[in-house]
Amino acid sequence: MPLINNIKAVNQALDVAMERNKNVVTYGEDVGFEGGVFRATEGLQQKYGVHRSFNAPISENLFVGAAIGMAINGLTPVVELQFEGLGRSALQNITTHLGKMRNRTRGKYTCPMVIRTPMGGGISALEHHSESFEALYAHTAGLVVIIPSTPYDTKGLLLAAIDSPDPVIFLEPTKLYRAFKQEVPEGYYTVPIGVGYKIQEGNDLTIVTYGAPTVDCQKALELLKETHPEVTVDLIDLRTINPWDREMVFESVRKTGRLLIVNEAVKSFGVASEIIASVNENCFDYLKAPLTRCTGYDVNIPFVQGERWFNINPHKILDKIHEVLEY
């Protein structure tokens, strides 16, 4: 199997999907000839033509709304927003129509479409280019929200998203686009939506994460092993935020009695808060320590050099691990 990075995994998934299904189209700002700002769609217009891979005007709400119409009428659009922060311009259509169409029409119309967008910090970009507001999408009934971290999962989950009868928000951690490579099968395969992945097994602590912090958590656990080799940790990559793998998390917490959630979004009213509330409701009698978060701060993400103070890193995670273990 070839070694590829996350951006190539996205490109391969789109290529496979478009080859398998002539109703799949992909478009967005600079998606066609240029191949997108990160080159995720590079070569697709040349291979499939301007009617299936094309540029959209600089109006996110307009071209997301157009995709809803396409999906209702039999196409499977895969729309690219250049950055997650720009998705706010499309929230009217995403939250008012996309997530509600099946319920509104009592199942007569569905919207099988995918909205792809880079998310998160790590590349010293402007605030709207570095945000993580996945909780906003997850808070909207009717939307599936996926955040992969590895090339294998990126390709398999994107293909699963394109096959899904539900509208999917597919968030791609910008920091991980070209961070590392992994062996990925050529051709078609899927990774199941709503199923987490346990990266490693342990008995003393459960760490739940997703997206870019997955890599930082692995590095933090390498540091922990140097000083506390006797400590073992369950590390879970959720992969899907809505629906999230509740049973995998609950089973792990009932075993370890301790939980640390790591995400790069701001602390308040986020995914970590939801997981903590759910674990408290379902696993309270098993807990040995307070449920803990390692997240971004409740501020706008700082620009360029200030970003390093905001972002999650292995040492911040390690400090939180010690805090939970020493309680």
Side-chain angles (χ1 to χ4, degrees), residues 94 98 114-115 117 137 143-147 167-171:
I94 293 172
L98 180 60
V114 179
I115 297 176
T117 183
Y137 294 122
L143 298 179
V144 172
V145 184
I146 297 174
I147 308 178
V168 177
I169 308 297
F170 196 88
L171 304 175

Side-chain angles (χ1 to χ4, degrees), residues 198 201-203 234 250-257 286 288:
K198 188 173 288 188
E201 291 272 358
N203 296 308
D234 260 6
F250 294 165
E251 180 183 0
S252 176
V253 173
R254 287 169 185 150
K255 176 181 63 173
T256 67
Y286 297 84
K288 302 174 183 176

Side-chain angles (χ1 to χ4, degrees), residues 41-324:
T41 56
E42 190 171 36
L44 297 180
Q45 186 179 86
Q46 289 82 348
K47 184 173 182 179
Y48 297 103
V50 295
H51 298 294
R52 295 188 62 198
S53 180
F54 51 90
N55 293 344
I58 304 175
S59 177
E60 288 79 9
N61 203 42
L62 183 152
F63 64 73
V64 167
I68 295 172
M70 293 179 191
I72 289 173
N73 287 281
L75 293 178
T76 305
V78 183
V79 180
E80 178 182 304
L81 302 174
Q82 280 195 339
F83 293 94
E84 187 182 6
L86 306 180
R88 287 195 179 90
S89 300
L91 283 179
Q92 178 187 2
N93 273 318
I94 293 172
T95 61
T96 305
H97 301 298
L98 180 60
K100 293 178 169 55
M101 190 60 65
R102 177 180 290 170
N103 180 71
R104 178 181 298 155
T105 63
R106 300 303 184 261
K108 182 178 181 180
Y109 296 116
T110 60
C111 290
M113 60 177 278
V114 179
I115 297 176
R116 295 181 38 252
T117 183
M119 69 164 288
I123 60 169
S124 300
L126 295 168
E127 57 183 17
H128 294 313
H129 300 66
S130 303
E131 293 176 299
S132 302
F133 55 89
E134 61 273 13
L136 193 153
Y137 294 122
H139 194 69
T140 302
L143 298 179
V144 172
V145 184
I146 297 174
I147 308 178
S149 63
T150 67
Y152 180 89
D153 286 349
T154 295
K155 182 177 178 181
L157 283 166
L158 183 51
L159 284 166
I162 294 170
D163 288 348
S164 173
D166 299 307
V168 177
I169 308 297
F170 196 88
L171 304 175
E172 301 160 6
T174 315
K175 183 179 176 181
L176 299 185
Y177 266 154
R178 294 178 173 86
F180 61 94
K181 294 183 178 182
Q182 185 183 40
E183 286 189 344
V184 174
E186 297 184 87
Y188 177 82
Y189 71 91
T190 61
V191 172
I193 294 172
V195 178
Y197 176 63
K198 188 173 288 188
I199 298 172
Q200 68 176 57
E201 291 272 358
N203 296 308
D204 301 304
L205 170 66
T206 300
I207 297 179
V208 176
T209 188
Y210 54 88
T214 303
V215 175
D216 293 314
C217 286
Q218 290 173 283
K219 292 178 179 177
L221 292 179
E222 290 174 5
L223 295 173
L224 178 68
K225 193 172 182 178
E226 293 176 4
T227 56
H228 295 78
E230 75 284 359
V231 174
T232 60
V233 176
D234 260 6
L235 177 58
I236 296 172
D237 180 357
L238 282 182
R239 305 195 291 197
T240 307
I241 302 307
N242 189 28
W244 59 282
D245 197 337
R246 299 163 62 90
E247 289 310 312
M248 178 179 284
V249 174
F250 294 165
E251 180 183 0
S252 176
V253 173
R254 287 169 185 150
K255 176 181 63 173
T256 67
R258 294 179 172 88
L259 174 65
L260 171 63
I261 304 158
V262 184
N263 67 250
E264 62 178 316
V266 297
K267 182 177 183 179
S268 297
F269 309 103
V271 173
S273 303
E274 170 60 26
I275 296 171
I276 284 175
S278 297
V279 170
N280 189 59
E281 291 168 352
N282 291 272
C283 308
F284 183 79
D285 290 342
Y286 297 84
L287 299 180
K288 302 174 183 176
L291 305 172
T292 306
R293 292 171 285 184
C294 182
T295 69
Y297 303 104
D298 289 333
V299 298
N300 290 315
I301 185 167
F303 179 50
V304 190
Q305 294 301 320
E307 187 186 46
R308 65 192 179 96
W309 300 106
F310 178 92
N311 286 344
I312 300 296
N313 63 57
H315 293 285
K316 286 184 180 179
I317 298 168
L318 185 61
D319 288 343
K320 286 292 184 179
I321 290 173
H322 287 305
E323 179 183 319
V324 179

Side-chain angles (χ1 to χ4, degrees), residues 13-36:
L14 294 172
D15 188 13
V16 169
M18 294 177 77
E19 188 170 7
R20 281 169 51 88
N21 183 352
K22 63 180 177 59
N23 290 323
V24 176
V25 298
T26 183
Y27 68 93
E29 295 161 10
D30 298 323
V31 160
F33 179 77
E34 295 291 341

